[in-house]
C-alpha cells in the first residue's frame, strides 16, 4: 500500500492540472473590456467546494489520529481520598516489632503511567489503512467537485454567449420582417399588394417577436447563472478554453476516464477503506498485549511510613474466549465490504459506458453543427439571390418571409448546437479530470460564436441599384428605396 497510495495521489494531482479552462483577455465586441478569471472566481465563490474542502480537512485530521494510535498513552495519576478509615477484625492491637506500619486509612497517591499497545489484533494497522484510503478518496472527491465547479462555470458562460447571439439573430429577423411589413402596407395602400400579403407579414412579425422575447428571457436566466457562479457580470468573463488534448478514439478516451476520473478513483479507494475496516473488526477475536510502565508514590501510608514509591514495568495480555456479538460484527463488516465492491463495479461500468456514449455523441453533434453552419451559409447566400430576384420580379412577399424565417431559425439552431458541441467537449474533459484554471501555454482554442456573414454590400447589384441587400441577420441595413414586389395571388375581394 505504501507505494500504491502516492502513485494514486500523483495521478489525481496530474489529472487536476492538465488543461486550462477559462480566462485570457479577448476582444470580441459582445464581451468587450478586460476579461477576468471566471474559473478562479467560480472556485472562490463555490460554497459546495468550500464544504468539500472542510470535509477533507476532517479526513486529514482522522488520518493524523490513526497514526497517533501507535504512540503510547501517558497519564498522570492523582488520588486524594476525602474520607477513609480502615478497620481490622478482630479489633486488637497489632503486634508491633519495631514500628507500627499497619495502615489506618487510604493513602494519597500520585504517579505517572505509560501504556504502549504491542499487539492489538492488527486493529490499529487496519484502521490506519482504512483512514489512509478514505483520505485519498476524499482528495479525489475534492478534485471531482473542482471539476464540476469549473464545468458549471464554463457551461454558464457558453450559455450566455449562445443566448446573446440568438437574441441578435432574432432582433435582426424582426427588423428584416418589419421592413417587409412596412413595404407591404405601403404597397397595399396603392394597390400593389393584397390584404393577404399584409396579414401574412404581420403574422410572421408577431411570431418573430415572440421568439425574440423568449431569447431575451433565456439570456436573462443565463446571465443570472453566471453571476451566481462567478460573482461577476458576463461582460467581464472570457470565453472558456476548449480541451485540445482529448483522445481520438472512444477506446482511448474510455481508458483515460478509467484511470483519471476522480469519481472512479474515490470509489475504488472507498472499497479499500471498507475492506480494511472489515479486517480491523476481526481484532475483537484476537489477543492483545500491552506494555505498561508506572511510577506511583503513596503518601500518608501509615503512622510510621509517610511515602511508598512503586516503579513497575509489566506486560498485560488479554486473550478473548467469548465476547457476545463479536462474530456477527465481523460477518456484518465483511458483507458491507463486499456490497461496496459490487456497487463500485457497477459504478465503473456505468461511468465508462456513459463516457463512450458522450464521446460518440460529441462527434455526432460536431458533425451536426458543421452541417447546420453550412446550411446557414447557404441560406445567407439564398437571401442575397432572393433580393436580386425580387428586383427582377421573380419572387413574392411570401418567398421573402419564408426565407427570412428559415434563416432566423437556422441561425438560432446552429448557435444552439454549436454551444452543445462545446459543452460536450468540456464535459468530456471534466470526466477525465482535465479541467483547470487557465495557465500560460495552455492548449486548446477558445469557444466561439457563429461567424458573421461577410459584408459584400459594395459588390452587390442591389447596392448599385439602391436596394438593400439582406445577406443575413447580422447585416446592418440602411434606409433605401423599397424594392418592386411581385404581386401574389389576388384575393377575390380585391379583384376589379
Amino acid at each position: 500500500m505504501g507505494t500504491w497510495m502516492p502513485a494514486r495521489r500523483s495521478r489525481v494531482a496530474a489529472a487536476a492540472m492538465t488543461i486550462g479552462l477559462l480566462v485570457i483577455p479577448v476582444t470580441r465586441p459582445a464581451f468587450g473590456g478586460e476579461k477576468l478569471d471566471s474559473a478562479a472566481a467560480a472556485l472562490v465563490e463555490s460554497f459546495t467546494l468550500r464544504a468539500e474542502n472542510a470535509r477533507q480537512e476532517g479526513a486529514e485530521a482522522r488520518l493524523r489520529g490513526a497514526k497517533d494510535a501507535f504512540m503510547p498513552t501517558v497519564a498522570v495519576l492523582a488520588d486524594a481520598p476525602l474520607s477513609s478509615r480502615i478497620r481490622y477484625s478482630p479489633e486488637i492491637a497489632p503486634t508491633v516489632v519495631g514500628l507500627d506500619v499497619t495502615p489506618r486509612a487510604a493513602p494519597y497517591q500520585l504517579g505517572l503511567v505509560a501504556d504502549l499497545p504491542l499487539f492489538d489484533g492488527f486493529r490499529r494497522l487496519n484502521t490506519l489503512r482504512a483512514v489512509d484510503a478514505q483520505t485519498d478518496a476524499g482528495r479525489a472527491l475534492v478534485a471531482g467537485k473542482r471539476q464540476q465547479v469549473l464545468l458549471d462555470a464554463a457551461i454558464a458562460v457558453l450559455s450566455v454567449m449562445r443566448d446573446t447571439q440568438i437574441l441578435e439573430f432574432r432582433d435582426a429577423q424582426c427588423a428584416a420582417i418589419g421592413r417587409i411589413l412596412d413595404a407591404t402596407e405601403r404597397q397595399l395602400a396603392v394597390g400593389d399588394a393584397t390584404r393577404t400579403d399584409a396579414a401574412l407579414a404581420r403574422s410572421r412579425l408577431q411570431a418573430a417577436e415572440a421568439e425574440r422575447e423568449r431569447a431575451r428571457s433565456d439570456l436573462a436566466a443565463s446571465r443570472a447563472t453566471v453571476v451566481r457562479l462567478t460573482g461577476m457580470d458576463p461582460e467581464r468573463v472570457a470565453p472558456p478554453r476548449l480541451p485540445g488534448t482529448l483522445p481520438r478514439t472512444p477506446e482511448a478516451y474510455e481508458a483515460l476516464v478509467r484511470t483519471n476520473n476522480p469519481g472512479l478513483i474515490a470509489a475504488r479507494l472507498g472499497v479499500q477503506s471498507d475492506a480494511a475496516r472489515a479486517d480491523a473488526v476481526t481484532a475483537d477475536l484476537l489477543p492483545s498485549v500491552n506494555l505498561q510502565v508506572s511510577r506511583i508514590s503513596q503518601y500518608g501510608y501509615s503512622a510510621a511510613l509517610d511515602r511508598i514509591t512503586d516503579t513497575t514495568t509489566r506486560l498485560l495480555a488479554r486473550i478473548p474466549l467469548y465476547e457476545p456479538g463479536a462474530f456477527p460484527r465481523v460477518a456484518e463488516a465483511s458483507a458491507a465490504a463486499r456490497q461496496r465492491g459490487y456497487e463500485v463495479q457497477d459504478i465503473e461500468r456505468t461511468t465508462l459506458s456513459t463516457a463512450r456514449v458522450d464521446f460518440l455523441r460529441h462527434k455526432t453533434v460536431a458533425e451536426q453543427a458543421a452541417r447546420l453552419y453550412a446550411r446557414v451559409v447557404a441560406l445567407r447566400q439564398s437571401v442575397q439571390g432572393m433580393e436580386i430576384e425580387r428586383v427582377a420580379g421573380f419572387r413574392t412577399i411570401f418567398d421573402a418571409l419564408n426565407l427570412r424565417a428559415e434563416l432566423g431559425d437556422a441561425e438560432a439552431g446552429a448557435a444552439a448546437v454549436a454551444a452543445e458541441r462545446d459543452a460536450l467537449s468540456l464535459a468530456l474533459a471534466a470526466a477525465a479530470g482535465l479541467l483547470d484554471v487557465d495557465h500560460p501555454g495552455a492548449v486548446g482554442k477558445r469557444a466561439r460564436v457563429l461567424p458573421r456573414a461577410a459584408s459584400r454590400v459594395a459588390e452587390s447589384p442591389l447596392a448599385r441599384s439602391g436596394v438593400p441587400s439582406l445577406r443575413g441577420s447580422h447585416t446592418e441595413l440602411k434606409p433605401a428605396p423599397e424594392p418592386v414586389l411581385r404581386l401574389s395571388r389576388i384575393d377575390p375581394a380585391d379583384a376589379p
Side-chain angles (χ1 to χ4, degrees):
M1 185 189 76
T3 58
W4 186 88
M5 288 299 177
R8 275 296 183 196
R9 294 172 189 157
S10 63
R11 282 199 292 268
V12 173
M17 295 295 294
T18 304
I19 274 191
L21 172 61
L22 304 171
V23 236
I24 279 184
V26 295
T27 57
R28 183 176 182 269
F31 288 84
E34 182 181 0
K35 306 302 173 183
L36 302 180
D37 192 341
S38 59
L43 295 177
V44 172
E45 292 291 330
S46 175
F47 289 101
T48 58
L49 184 58
R50 294 183 189 181
E52 196 68 25
N53 287 330
R55 182 206 55 75
Q56 182 60 21
E57 290 176 4
E60 300 286 350
R62 284 193 299 271
L63 178 59
R64 294 194 298 270
K67 293 178 179 178
D68 286 344
F70 289 88
M71 301 298 293
T73 300
V74 181
V76 174
L77 175 64
D79 182 1
L82 299 180
S83 177
S84 177
R85 181 174 179 273
I86 300 176
R87 297 182 62 184
Y88 296 92
S89 181
E91 289 287 349
I92 59 176
T95 301
V96 179
V97 180
L99 298 177
D100 182 5
V101 295
T102 304
R104 299 296 190 271
Y108 296 87
Q109 298 185 43
L110 180 63
L112 188 66
V113 178
D115 195 348
L116 175 64
L118 299 181
F119 179 76
D120 59 354
F122 304 106
R123 183 189 302 273
R124 291 172 300 162
L125 178 60
N126 288 319
T127 300
L128 176 60
R129 289 175 176 173
V131 175
D132 192 16
Q134 185 179 13
T135 304
D136 287 339
R139 297 189 184 105
L141 290 176
V142 171
K145 181 62 67 175
R146 178 187 177 92
Q147 294 292 297
Q148 188 61 48
V149 170
L150 294 174
L151 178 62
D152 291 343
I155 291 179
V157 176
L158 282 177
S159 299
V160 171
M161 296 170 61
R162 175 201 63 201
D163 295 340
T164 298
Q165 190 174 37
I166 290 177
L167 181 58
E168 293 175 357
F169 292 151
R170 295 304 184 186
D171 282 335
Q173 183 184 17
C174 289
I177 296 177
R179 287 190 292 271
I180 295 175
L181 176 60
D182 291 341
T184 304
E185 289 179 342
R186 286 195 295 270
Q187 293 187 4
L188 176 62
V190 298
D192 287 340
T194 66
R195 289 199 300 270
T196 301
D197 295 329
L200 179 61
R202 281 192 295 270
S203 174
R204 293 296 179 85
L205 179 60
Q206 291 170 353
E209 289 175 344
E211 292 294 338
R212 180 179 62 184
E213 292 305 315
R214 179 179 178 181
R216 184 174 288 115
S217 176
D218 292 341
L219 177 58
S222 300
R223 290 177 60 86
T225 302
V226 171
V227 173
R228 175 177 62 84
L229 293 177
T230 66
M232 298 188 298
D233 293 332
E235 290 78 12
R236 303 175 60 194
V237 176
R241 184 183 295 278
L242 303 177
T245 58
L246 290 178
R248 299 295 183 180
T249 63
E251 293 76 15
Y253 177 71
E254 184 177 342
L256 180 63
V257 172
R258 180 184 289 108
T259 303
N260 291 338
N261 183 268
L264 291 182
I265 294 175
R268 297 189 194 108
L269 291 171
V271 171
Q272 295 187 8
S273 177
D274 291 343
R277 291 186 188 279
D279 292 338
V281 176
T282 60
D284 294 340
L285 308 177
L286 299 176
S288 61
V289 180
N290 287 10
L291 175 64
Q292 186 181 87
V293 178
S294 63
R295 180 181 178 86
I296 300 176
S297 297
Q298 302 182 54
Y299 296 89
Y301 181 80
S302 69
L305 295 179
D306 180 66
R307 184 175 70 176
I308 296 179
T309 300
D310 179 11
T311 302
T312 304
T313 300
R314 58 170 59 90
L315 283 176
L316 302 177
R318 178 181 180 274
I319 301 177
L321 299 180
Y322 174 73
E323 183 176 348
F327 285 98
R329 286 196 297 272
V330 173
E332 179 185 3
S334 298
R338 291 196 303 273
Q339 173 192 353
R340 180 61 176 166
Y342 297 141
E343 292 174 349
V344 169
Q345 290 180 23
D346 184 68
I347 291 173
E348 181 171 352
R349 179 183 299 174
T350 303
T351 301
L352 296 180
S353 176
T354 303
R356 175 181 285 268
V357 170
D358 288 345
F359 188 90
L360 297 175
R361 183 185 173 199
H362 173 263
K363 182 179 180 180
T364 302
V365 173
E367 294 175 353
Q368 181 185 10
R371 291 192 180 98
L372 290 179
Y373 175 63
R375 178 180 178 230
V376 169
V377 173
L379 285 174
R380 288 172 177 173
Q381 294 173 352
S382 298
V383 169
Q384 293 180 356
M386 182 270 298
E387 287 302 321
I388 298 175
E389 293 172 355
R390 283 174 60 192
V391 173
F394 296 110
R395 291 291 180 180
T396 64
I397 296 173
F398 183 75
D399 296 329
L401 292 174
N402 279 347
L403 194 54
R404 270 296 171 181
E406 187 172 0
L407 176 59
D409 293 342
E411 289 176 329
V417 173
E420 181 183 4
R421 175 201 60 201
D422 294 341
L424 278 174
S425 177
L426 292 168
L428 291 176
L434 300 179
L435 293 184
D436 207 337
V437 294
D438 213 357
H439 56 83
V443 297
K445 63 182 180 181
R446 295 200 171 273
R448 299 178 182 177
V449 295
L450 288 182
R452 298 171 181 265
S455 178
R456 298 172 183 168
V457 176
E459 304 172 3
S460 172
L462 297 178
R464 292 192 295 268
S465 62
V467 180
S469 175
L470 306 180
R471 295 176 316 281
S473 60
H474 280 294
T475 304
E476 183 178 357
L477 303 179
K478 299 181 180 180
E482 297 298 333
V484 177
L485 300 180
R486 180 184 177 186
L487 295 178
S488 62
R489 181 175 299 175
I490 300 177
D491 291 342
D494 295 332

